[in-house]
Amino acid sequence: MPDLAGRLSWKHASIIMALATAVPPYTTFLWGFGGHDNRVSIAVYALIWALYPPESSIGGLQVLNSYSLPIGISLGFFNIIFAFQVIRFLRGATSKRNTLWTGALTLVIPMISLIVAWPAMASSGFFAYIGPIPIQLATGLLLMHFVGPKEPTSPW
């Protein structure tokens, strides 16, 4: 593979990380289940948009509006912190360990939603994917690996 670090500066990687944080979805939440057709409804969240099921009062895609934006930012709080940590790591201002711990935190809220939704889905017998969509985490880890500072291979 060509030397990606030689072609991609931390500034360019920061733009990639910002886009990977704001645009792709990071989680799905159980919106509801049951009804006349016994189906599971989920909502998909990103920082700047959300996709709600049709039966909700705000059904459909909501982009940069007063309802989806505060929810997206509050639920994606750890994702925002991880983005800053990756950028700091690429600049050499923080450790790999701290950045990885912050990356693990991006999975906390989605995993809590899975734990909360699991009993309801299990009792109803209808399942849908509830939990993290780690696109941003994967992007950050790849940038850390290919663009981040190189660890010394020899003590001399």
Side-chain angles (χ1 to χ4, degrees):
M1 174 176 272
D3 183 23
L4 186 61
R7 296 182 310 184
L8 192 64
S9 72
W10 70 266
K11 292 178 184 180
H12 294 107
S14 298
I15 293 169
I16 292 170
M17 195 63 204
L19 290 172
T21 301
V23 178
Y26 57 84
T27 190
T28 59
F29 278 97
L30 180 66
W31 187 265
F33 61 92
H36 67 282
D37 55 0
N38 287 329
R39 68 177 179 194
V40 175
S41 298
I42 61 170
V44 180
Y45 287 95
L47 283 180
I48 62 172
W49 61 270
L51 181 62
Y52 297 100
E55 62 269 11
S56 71
S57 62
I58 54 167
L61 181 64
Q62 304 292 322
V63 180
L64 292 174
N65 67 14
S66 61
Y67 186 78
S68 65
L69 194 58
I71 292 173
I73 291 173
S74 63
L75 294 176
F77 178 73
F78 291 128
N79 295 70
I80 296 168
I81 293 172
F82 178 62
F84 282 111
Q85 276 295 100
V86 168
I87 294 166
R88 290 183 69 224
F89 174 77
L90 297 177
R91 294 177 65 196
T94 191
S95 69
K96 187 174 191 175
R97 181 177 184 214
N98 288 342
T99 308
L100 292 176
W101 273 108
T102 308
L105 287 176
T106 65
L107 302 176
V108 169
I109 293 175
M111 293 307 289
I112 290 172
S113 72
L114 171 64
I115 292 167
V116 169
W118 186 257
M121 288 191 303
S123 68
S124 72
F126 297 99
F127 296 93
Y129 181 74
I130 305 296
I133 304 172
I135 296 169
Q136 183 225 17
L137 179 62
T139 303
L141 294 176
L142 287 170
L143 287 173
M144 287 173 61
H145 179 73
F146 289 113
V147 182
K150 302 299 177 204
E151 297 178 9
T153 57
S154 167
W156 309 106

